[in-house]
């Protein structure tokens, strides 16, 4: 379904609609939601329409995660994931309405990043081609990233005499450390999919043209996993850098007791004793 500025009802299982014009496609199949950015060109520059559509899709995904969707993929049509903010739009606003030139941050990017980061289900990003600026910020919201061999990443902000937005500096610092992040931000040097893999930022590098298929396979595998455990892992990871040790240990004890009462935990123990693979139901 093509999403635009108007709110949409949650998608139903098996729903697959594809836009004739640019927008964001949202499909659900086998408990996996796929958000696909479909810009008017292969650059997938984030103009007002695409930003709004992405935010609508992210909010819809949060709703659907409470209704049985167990994993998600975010990807893009064309040869690039996203070149970030549409600079043609930005330049026009700087000239005609400078007070609105950065309204996209509180109105679009900030709520989008918060929505995707807070998802209780695993989110995979599949990246082909260029992924820079706010596009990188969106990819960094995912728990796992699959990148094509020739994919290229960059922070890009200092090239425009800006700092950073879309949570890029925070996400990179948490995952790569402050020193490497400072180099990426200040020197504005691009990095490859293999660089990202070596640093742990990219979990899988695949042949060009296959990132979406590989990312979808990963999301489907996660959808077959212990959904409640994934939700608790994500919550623990969000507080890992700021929660004191004692509070973390106490939180883990509460979480383990809660997960111990799930059907999936009992199935896993039974399957181990019966020497078979477990079948998780997400309950």
């Amino acid at each position: 379904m093509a999403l635009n500025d108007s709110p949409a009802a949650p998608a139903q299982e098996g729903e697959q609609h594809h836009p004739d014009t640019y927008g964001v496609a949202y499909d659900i199949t086998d408990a996996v939601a796929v958000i696909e950015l479909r810009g008017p060109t292969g650059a997938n520059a984030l103009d007002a329409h695409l930003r709004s559509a992405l935010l609508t899709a992210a909010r819809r995904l949060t709703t659907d995660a409470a209704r049985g969707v167990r994993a998600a993929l975010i990807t893009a049509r064309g040869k690039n994931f996203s070149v970030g903010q549409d600079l043609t739009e930005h330049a026009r606003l700087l000239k005609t309405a400078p007070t609105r030139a950065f309204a996209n941050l509180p109105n679009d990017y900030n709520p989008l990043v918060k929505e995707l980061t807070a998802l209780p289900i695993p989110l995979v990003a599949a990246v082909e081609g260029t992924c820079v600026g706010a596009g990188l910020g969106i990819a960094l919201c995912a728990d796992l990233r699959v990148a094509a061999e020739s994919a290229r990443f960059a922070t890009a902000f200092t090239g425009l005499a800006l700092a950073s937005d879309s949570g890029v500096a925070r996400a990179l610092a948490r995952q790569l450390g402050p020193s490497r992040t400072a180099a990426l931000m200040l020197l504005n040097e691009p990095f490859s999919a293999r660089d990202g893999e070596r640093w742990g930022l990219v979990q899988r590098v695949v042949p060009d043209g296959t990132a979406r298929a590989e990312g979808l396979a990963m999301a489907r595998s996660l959808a077959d996993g212990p959904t409640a455990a994934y939700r608790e892992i994500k919550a623990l990871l969000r507080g890992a850098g700021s929660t004191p040790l004692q509070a973390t240990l106490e939180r883990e004890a509460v979480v383990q007791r809660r997960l111990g009462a799930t059907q999936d935990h009992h199935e896993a123990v039974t399957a181990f004793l019966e020497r078979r693979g477990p079948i998780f139901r997400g309950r």
Side-chain angles (χ1 to χ4, degrees), residues 204-221:
R204 193 168 299 166
V205 178
V206 299
D208 290 349
T210 68
R212 186 187 191 280
E214 293 291 338
L216 183 57
M218 183 180 288
R220 284 174 174 162
S221 177

Side-chain angles (χ1 to χ4, degrees), residues 73-140:
L73 173 72
I74 186 164
T75 187
R77 180 176 63 179
K79 62 181 183 178
N80 296 305
F81 184 80
S82 175
V83 298
Q85 170 63 31
D86 184 333
L87 292 182
T88 301
E89 174 190 84
H90 183 67
R92 183 173 64 251
L93 288 173
L94 284 175
K95 183 177 181 179
T96 63
T99 59
R100 294 172 46 210
F102 291 93
N104 52 11
L105 300 182
N107 294 342
D108 302 319
Y109 290 125
N110 292 356
L112 173 63
V113 169
K114 288 191 286 186
E115 198 79 38
L116 292 177
T117 302
L119 278 174
I121 58 174
L123 175 64
V124 179
V127 177
E128 297 272 356
T130 299
C131 179
V132 303
L136 176 60
I138 292 168
L140 290 172

Side-chain angles (χ1 to χ4, degrees), residues 3-251:
L3 301 182
N4 50 39
D5 297 348
S6 303
Q12 301 299 313
E13 183 75 19
E15 181 181 348
Q16 293 187 345
H17 302 283
H18 304 292
D20 295 324
T21 58
Y22 80 100
V24 172
Y26 184 103
D27 299 329
I28 297 176
T29 303
D30 298 329
V32 175
V34 177
I35 295 174
E36 185 176 66
L37 179 62
R38 295 184 164 195
T41 70
N44 287 316
L46 298 168
D47 63 9
H49 177 79
L50 291 183
R51 294 193 307 270
S52 179
L54 273 172
L55 181 55
T56 298
R59 288 171 171 162
R60 185 172 178 176
L61 178 57
T62 297
T63 298
D64 287 345
R67 298 182 177 183
V69 169
R70 296 169 64 184
L73 173 72
I74 186 164
T75 187
R77 180 176 63 179
K79 62 181 183 178
N80 296 305
F81 184 80
S82 175
V83 298
Q85 170 63 31
D86 184 333
L87 292 182
T88 301
E89 174 190 84
H90 183 67
R92 183 173 64 251
L93 288 173
L94 284 175
K95 183 177 181 179
T96 63
T99 59
R100 294 172 46 210
F102 291 93
N104 52 11
L105 300 182
N107 294 342
D108 302 319
Y109 290 125
N110 292 356
L112 173 63
V113 169
K114 288 191 286 186
E115 198 79 38
L116 292 177
T117 302
L119 278 174
I121 58 174
L123 175 64
V124 179
V127 177
E128 297 272 356
T130 299
C131 179
V132 303
L136 176 60
I138 292 168
L140 290 172
C141 292
D143 303 294
L144 302 165
R145 280 159 292 280
V146 175
E149 184 75 44
S150 66
R152 291 295 180 269
F153 304 83
T155 57
F157 295 104
T158 56
L160 298 171
L162 295 173
S164 71
D165 56 50
S166 309
V168 169
R170 179 180 183 272
L172 287 176
R174 286 167 66 94
Q175 297 184 57
L176 301 181
S179 181
R180 191 183 298 279
T181 298
L184 292 175
M185 299 293 296
L186 297 174
L187 299 176
N188 193 23
E189 294 178 346
F191 60 95
S192 69
R194 290 295 178 188
D195 290 331
E197 182 182 43
R198 187 169 64 254
W199 301 337
L201 199 64
V202 172
Q203 282 65 50
R204 193 168 299 166
V205 178
V206 299
D208 290 349
T210 68
R212 186 187 191 280
E214 293 291 338
L216 183 57
M218 183 180 288
R220 284 174 174 162
S221 177
L222 289 163
D224 289 336
T227 304
Y230 292 154
R231 179 178 62 248
E232 297 292 0
I233 288 169
K234 291 190 63 167
L236 288 170
L237 289 173
R238 279 194 290 270
S242 58
T243 306
L245 175 60
Q246 183 59 35
T248 297
L249 295 174
E250 292 171 359
R251 171 67 178 167

